[in-house]
Amino acid sequence: MAQISSAAREILVEEKDEPVGVAAVGLPKSIPMSESEVTTQPAISLQRKRPHGPDLSVPERKKKPPASDVTIDLTTLPDTKYYFENGLRKVEPYHFTWTTYAKGRWVGRMIEEVFLEEFFSVNEEVTKARVHADPCNVFVNGIRSNVQHKIKNSDYIAHYMHRHEMPVTAEPIKIIAETDDMLVVDKPASIPVHPCGRFRMNSVTFILAVEFGRTGLRIAHRLDRLTSGLLIFTKNIAASQGIHVQMEDRSVRKEYIARVAGEFPAEQIVCSEPIDCVNIRAGVYQVRASGKHSVTSFDRLSFDPESNTSIVHCKPRTGRTHQIRVHLQHIGYPIVNDPFYGAKSTFTGKDAAVEYGKDDALGPAFADECQKQLFTKCTTLPDRPWIDPKCPECWLDFADPKPEDMRIDLHAWKYEGPGWKFATELPFWAKDVTVLPADDPAPLCGDNPAPLCGDNPAPSTVKTPPLLW
């Protein structure tokens, strides 16, 4: 593992746009270490000190920038550190300020109601305990308030709390390629690409900043947390805009490997069913006539009769959320260990999943299923330096998640665009595949459109700017 340089220790951390609509502010500034301290500290250790409390400044509200302009710019690391235990990467709990502007659907509702419904913690009981643990640490427009405050339009809400992150695999992130314009890595399963939910320091962007000193990165595409494989970052706006146009123009060919339940047919299957989001809070998608056009082709690589599973080569021709997982479920060969769409999932894909805000029973069910972590209640507080007696989660003893609960057997294998191509090694569960698919002879959409381009075989009218690598 790479040692942290003094420059890396001093970089600022300011997450401007987390997926749930919150931003992190008010992080304590780092304290420089002496030379003797540096030589004795572990590679990812940061000097600890008492938290300074929340930053109550209200930033100017700006229009959300295009995806290609969003950077993960990190300047002060939070007052915490990683540690490794039982094959897992863990983060010592730390004080943190959640902030967000009021959403339209929140106006007229109490903060307590919104917290319980949309900012789900370990389970419903712990979520309620956290909301009421220290209600004085809720601020609206920089002024101390309480959870009974009725939200108004443009309110800026801050919640100062003791944050506990879920562990992820200790498997290292591998750098596949790097140039002046891009960084390509092999992401292990269980690590989210960017901060979300109960993950922040345990995200690819933070790990790259802390352990590799890579900051100012732009995410070219995303992978689900439980998915492993190839992940591309760009380092400047020109490269970012170039690859985003290529993605939109469907001139990027993507190839995935999946392990599915059952004996997959020997002939190719192409699924072109539309996909729609049926529950915003749970993040559940389903084949629906009202959805967006989606096309994925599947080819069997091998079949294991003993486990009754098949290794399948997947080529998504469009880029919808959960596309491969939803299409495999729809055609009857779900990914074996997918908690959302797998063979043992509570959601079959044919359920009449309710829309958000009507009967949101799916939300807590999926939150428990996909971020589950067993725990027991403590009668006395553990003797740990980071303990906060007011924090409900500090009174819980969390069990380590099982390895099989930290991944799904879906791997991003190859990405190819005009003038560039990258690939990872096969995942361990597909190492026995002896016959690999040949490189696709069909031209890329952006070069010379062909039927492979999905629903738009006509020549592209979008001019793709040249990438810099």
Side-chain angles (χ1 to χ4, degrees):
M1 184 177 301
Q3 295 286 327
I4 293 184
S5 65
S6 58
R9 241 187 356 260
E10 294 295 320
I11 54 178
L12 288 179
V13 180
E14 189 176 4
E15 184 60 36
K16 290 296 185 185
D17 187 18
E18 295 196 26
V20 292
V22 296
V25 298
L27 300 176
K29 295 181 179 179
S30 59
I31 298 178
M33 295 182 180
S34 67
E35 290 300 323
S36 60
E37 289 175 315
V38 170
T39 57
T40 59
Q41 290 289 330
I44 40 69
S45 176
L46 300 173
Q47 185 170 329
R48 299 180 56 76
K49 60 185 184 304
R50 296 178 63 185
H52 289 176
D55 180 350
L56 302 181
S57 59
V58 181
E60 179 185 355
R61 192 167 191 176
K62 298 179 180 179
K63 185 178 180 181
K64 186 176 180 179
S68 60
D69 294 352
V70 175
T71 61
I72 308 300
D73 211 6
L74 311 176
T75 46
T76 315
L77 295 174
D79 186 27
T80 188
K81 65 180 180 180
Y82 294 114
Y83 66 101
F84 297 87
E85 184 178 69
N86 301 329
L88 298 172
R89 175 191 292 269
K90 299 182 178 182
V91 178
E92 290 190 356
Y94 54 97
H95 288 89
F96 180 81
T97 306
W98 290 99
T99 67
T100 180
Y101 276 100
K103 309 294 185 289
R105 61 181 180 271
W106 300 352
V107 174
R109 301 169 64 191
M110 290 192 301
I111 291 178
E112 176 184 19
E113 181 184 354
V114 172
F115 275 18
L116 291 174
E117 184 173 289
E118 301 204 20
F119 296 92
F120 202 78
S121 185
V122 180
N123 61 17
E124 187 173 357
E125 179 185 2
V126 176
T127 302
K128 288 181 178 179
R130 176 167 288 291
V131 169
H132 296 285
D134 196 357
C136 293
N137 277 336
V138 175
F139 304 85
V140 178
N141 302 321
I143 301 173
R144 191 180 297 276
S145 184
N146 57 64
V147 293
Q148 280 72 46
H149 171 85
K150 283 196 174 182
I151 299 173
K152 302 179 181 62
N153 192 30
S154 299
D155 272 353
Y156 184 71
I157 304 166
H159 182 210
Y160 184 64
M161 60 173 288
H162 196 232
R163 184 165 182 170
H164 291 242
E165 297 199 27
M166 286 189 67
V168 298
T169 180
E171 184 181 345
I173 297 172
K174 300 176 184 176
I175 294 181
I176 297 174
E178 183 174 19
T179 70
D180 291 340
D181 301 293
M182 68 184 303
L183 177 69
V184 185
V185 303
D186 188 353
K187 182 189 88 69
S190 82
I191 308 178
V193 176
H194 49 63
C196 59
R198 296 183 65 203
F199 303 88
R200 183 166 172 266
M201 289 288 291
N202 268 344
S203 64
V204 175
T205 53
F206 268 68
I207 294 171
L208 288 176
V210 174
E211 297 187 356
F212 296 90
R214 306 300 199 275
T215 61
L217 300 174
R218 292 170 167 84
I219 301 170
H221 65 102
R222 287 172 170 80
L223 295 179
D224 295 336
R225 179 176 70 87
L226 300 178
T227 302
S228 61
L230 192 141
L231 182 61
I232 301 173
F233 295 91
T234 56
K235 295 183 176 182
N236 55 65
I237 194 167
S240 181
Q241 290 175 343
I243 200 166
H244 273 277
V245 170
Q246 290 182 2
M247 294 277 190
E248 293 172 359
D249 196 27
R250 297 183 185 165
S251 56
V252 175
R253 179 182 291 133
K254 297 170 280 188
E255 301 180 45
Y256 288 70
I257 303 294
R259 188 167 72 99
V260 305
E263 183 176 3
F264 200 87
E267 65 274 8
Q268 184 182 80
I269 292 181
V270 177
C271 183
S272 56
E273 297 294 336
I275 295 176
D276 199 2
C277 180
V278 295
N279 190 283
I280 296 174
R281 179 183 178 189
V284 180
Y285 290 76
Q286 186 181 47
V287 166
R288 279 192 174 185
S290 59
K292 295 180 180 180
H293 179 76
S294 311
V295 181
T296 316
S297 64
F298 302 101
D299 294 276
R300 189 180 78 186
L301 298 180
S302 67
F303 170 66
D304 178 19
E306 184 175 346
S307 62
N308 191 32
T309 61
S310 303
I311 303 297
V312 178
H313 182 220
C314 316
K315 292 186 289 186
R317 304 177 187 178
T318 51
R320 311 303 178 204
T321 302
H322 295 180
Q323 177 174 318
I324 295 174
R325 300 163 67 182
V326 172
H327 275 174
L328 282 170
Q329 181 192 49
H330 180 75
I331 64 178
Y333 299 94
I335 295 173
V336 289
N337 51 0
D338 191 331
F340 268 25
Y341 311 104
K344 298 180 180 179
S345 171
T346 56
F347 179 59
T348 66
K350 297 179 174 57
D351 306 83
V354 295
E355 300 291 345
Y356 173 84
K358 295 181 180 178
D359 179 12
D360 207 23
L362 275 177
F366 278 103
D368 279 340
E369 186 174 16
C370 296
Q371 290 195 22
K372 59 185 176 183
Q373 194 176 8
L374 300 177
F375 62 87
T376 55
K377 295 182 180 180
C378 303
T379 55
T380 59
L381 282 173
D383 185 16
R384 299 284 184 91
W386 41 259
I387 288 295
D388 181 348
K390 293 183 179 180
C391 173
E393 291 186 48
C394 284
W395 289 87
L396 304 178
D397 182 17
F398 289 96
D400 289 337
K402 299 177 181 179
E404 58 267 27
D405 293 331
M406 299 178 67
R407 75 168 210 270
I408 61 173
D409 290 347
L410 177 64
H411 182 84
W413 185 34
K414 294 181 179 179
Y415 269 62
E416 179 183 3
W420 57 272
K421 181 178 180 180
F422 299 101
T424 70
E425 296 180 355
L426 288 176
F428 73 91
W429 43 264
K431 290 290 187 182
D432 294 336
V433 174
T434 55
V435 180
L436 294 177
D439 287 341
D440 198 326
L444 294 167
C445 303
D447 294 338
N448 185 9
L452 178 66
C453 306
D455 62 334
N456 184 21
S460 171
T461 58
V462 180
K463 184 177 180 181
T464 305
L467 293 182
L468 303 180
W469 52 84

